[in-house]
Every structure is written in C-alpha cells, then in structure tokens.
Amino acid sequence: MSAGTALVTGASSGIGAAVAAALVRRGYTVYGTSRDPEKVNDPVEGVTYLALDLSDDASIEACAAAAGPVDVLVNNAGESQSGPFEELPMDALRRLFQINVLGAVRLSQLVLPGMRERRRGRVVMVGSMLASFPLAYRSSYVASKAAVKGFAHAARREYAGYGVGITTVEPGSIATGISERRTQYVAEGSPFRAAYDTMLAALNANEARGITAAKVAATVLAAIEAPRPRPLYAVGSNAPLVFALRRVLTRGAVERMVARRHGLR
C-alpha cells in the first residue's frame, strides 16, 4: 500500500533525486519534475517524471494537474546565482525570483487546497543556510531563499489547524556539483573582482567538502514524517553549532564569522 503521493521538484539530480529515492523507499507514489523528463540522465527507479518549467505559469499549472492530489510537496528546484550587488542584471534577478520563489509559491497554492480539504499534507521548502547567514556577493540568492522561508513561516499557521505542515529545510554546503551550474554576473573591470574571486574559491571548496545529498534528503524526510514539523530544519556546515552561536553572538559577529569562512574580511 502506498504511503501517499509525493511531488518533488528538481528531481533529476542532487537533493531532489535523493529525496525522491528516499520517498520511494518509504512506499510513496513519487512524481519528480524536470524541465525535460526525456533528458534525465540517471532517473530514479520508481519515480514518474513530469515536465516543469518554474518560469512558466502554464507549465506549473500543467504539472500540478498531471500529479493530481498529493500528500507531500517538496519545493526543491531552483537556481544558484552570485555576483556583486550593483552588477546583478535586473532580468537575471527577475528570473531567479520567478524560479526560486514565485514558482514554488504558485505550485504550493495549487496543491494546498486539496491537502486542506483532506486535512493532511506536508509542504517542504528547500532553502539554504545562507538565508540565515548571509554572504557577500550572494545577495540575490540569499534574498530568494529568505523569501521562500518567509512565505513558509507565515503560511504555516494558516494550515496547521487543517493537519497540513509547512516547513523549511536549510542545507549548508552540499557536494552536489551545484558550483558548476551557478549563474554568475560580474562586470568587466569590476572593482569587486578580487574579493568576489576569493569568496567564490572558498564557496566552491566548502561545497566540495560538503555533506551528501542523501544526508539532506534524510532531514527532508524527517520534516515530512514529524507529527508536528518544526518551522525550520538545518543540516550541514556544523548547523547545530553555528545556529547556537547565532543566538548568543551579535549580528556583526555572525557576519564576520561568515565572511572569514569565505576568505573575506
């Protein structure tokens, strides 16, 4: 017997693929999404792939319709972006927020009414620890993940009385090869080039040493299966220690700690 139906966005690789595989093992009927399901290089056994382009509202609606009623939605798909604040192109910012924030919000809006009516369900937003520990030259990505967390935190009380849990999982550094897919915007002759390159080298090194996608998936699964999921789960990058330090250190001290971890002053 199926444990229920789950929809996992961005399930062609990385965290999404690991979450989809974990849910299959738990007995869920799992739909995973990809921009082009026919081009998924290493499909997860037991997962049915649906097309989803988060920059296209019609695609989002078609995906929700194809999946039908779902008990679990994991909003994992997204884009990583970096660049000096003043050099980020507005069209790139709009695309990032459409994919990372508005697309996830719209898909959630489409599946939540069914969860509310059935009085059960879980929505997990896959964010980033950078939303809690902002990093220079990552402002657009930080802001997009903070926005996703904000939506989840505010909306969770609206649905708690209906048996529906909404939560955010914030991974730290993850070894998924995301550094190779990150979009970057740095102007030629940028005065920020040296500091940006320093940050990026440290960021890539931290990610190469990061936790596995499977470890993040285990945390996502814990959030899904908790009787009363917490608002926030963090995993990787010494999350228990750094969140404890965040509670006792000043904001300035935390900012300096994050900067030093990335080679900045």
Side-chain angles (χ1 to χ4, degrees), residues 54-141:
L54 288 169
S55 68
D56 182 346
D57 286 345
S59 176
I60 296 170
E61 292 169 6
C63 178
V70 299
D71 303 290
V72 173
L73 170 63
V74 180
N75 282 305
N76 163 74
E79 179 180 308
S80 182
Q81 186 180 97
S82 61
F85 178 84
E86 68 183 63
E87 297 170 7
L88 294 167
M90 291 308 298
D91 59 345
L93 288 174
R94 291 186 186 96
R95 173 180 168 78
L96 182 74
F97 272 76
Q98 175 60 46
I99 292 172
N100 286 11
V101 184
L102 300 180
V105 167
R106 181 58 184 144
L107 187 57
S108 301
Q109 287 178 329
L110 292 168
V111 304
L112 276 165
M115 293 182 182
R116 173 173 49 75
E117 290 166 7
R118 294 188 300 276
R119 304 189 74 83
R120 69 176 188 276
R122 294 288 185 269
V123 175
V124 177
M125 303 290 196
V126 178
S128 168
M129 276 179 63
L130 289 181
S132 295
F133 300 90
L135 173 63
Y137 307 111
R138 298 281 276 152
S139 59
S140 57
Y141 183 73

Side-chain angles (χ1 to χ4, degrees), residues 245-259:
L245 288 174
R246 185 170 176 259
R247 288 192 290 270
V248 298
L249 295 178
T250 65
R251 187 180 298 273
V254 171
E255 289 176 356
R256 290 191 294 273
M257 178 180 72
V258 175

Side-chain angles (χ1 to χ4, degrees), residues 12-253:
S12 58
S13 63
I15 295 172
V19 170
L23 289 168
V24 168
R25 291 193 295 271
R26 278 291 201 271
Y28 283 85
T29 297
V30 180
Y31 292 100
T33 77
S34 172
R35 284 194 182 92
D36 189 345
E38 294 183 0
K39 293 184 178 179
V40 176
N41 291 328
D42 190 15
V44 177
E45 186 175 354
V47 174
T48 300
Y49 287 88
L50 304 175
L52 175 62
D53 180 353
L54 288 169
S55 68
D56 182 346
D57 286 345
S59 176
I60 296 170
E61 292 169 6
C63 178
V70 299
D71 303 290
V72 173
L73 170 63
V74 180
N75 282 305
N76 163 74
E79 179 180 308
S80 182
Q81 186 180 97
S82 61
F85 178 84
E86 68 183 63
E87 297 170 7
L88 294 167
M90 291 308 298
D91 59 345
L93 288 174
R94 291 186 186 96
R95 173 180 168 78
L96 182 74
F97 272 76
Q98 175 60 46
I99 292 172
N100 286 11
V101 184
L102 300 180
V105 167
R106 181 58 184 144
L107 187 57
S108 301
Q109 287 178 329
L110 292 168
V111 304
L112 276 165
M115 293 182 182
R116 173 173 49 75
E117 290 166 7
R118 294 188 300 276
R119 304 189 74 83
R120 69 176 188 276
R122 294 288 185 269
V123 175
V124 177
M125 303 290 196
V126 178
S128 168
M129 276 179 63
L130 289 181
S132 295
F133 300 90
L135 173 63
Y137 307 111
R138 298 281 276 152
S139 59
S140 57
Y141 183 73
V142 166
S144 72
K145 292 303 185 179
V148 164
K149 179 167 66 174
F151 271 109
H153 275 21
R156 57 184 280 111
R157 281 195 173 274
E158 298 176 26
Y159 291 91
Y162 296 97
V164 178
I166 303 178
T167 193
T168 303
V169 171
E170 289 191 344
S173 297
I174 321 160
T176 61
I178 193 171
S179 58
E180 300 167 8
R181 302 186 297 274
R182 185 180 299 115
T183 55
Q184 301 182 54
Y185 300 94
V186 188
E188 187 160 350
S190 171
F192 304 101
R193 170 58 78 174
Y196 175 80
D197 287 347
T198 296
M199 180 282 300
L200 192 64
L203 181 68
N204 290 344
N206 290 340
E207 288 174 350
R209 297 189 299 265
I211 61 174
T212 64
K215 188 164 184 179
V216 180
T219 301
V220 172
L221 203 63
I224 291 169
E225 296 185 338
R228 300 181 68 179
R230 302 195 304 266
L232 178 68
Y233 293 76
V235 57
S237 297
N238 297 313
L241 173 61
V242 297
F243 272 90
L245 288 174
R246 185 170 176 259
R247 288 192 290 270
V248 298
L249 295 178
T250 65
R251 187 180 298 273

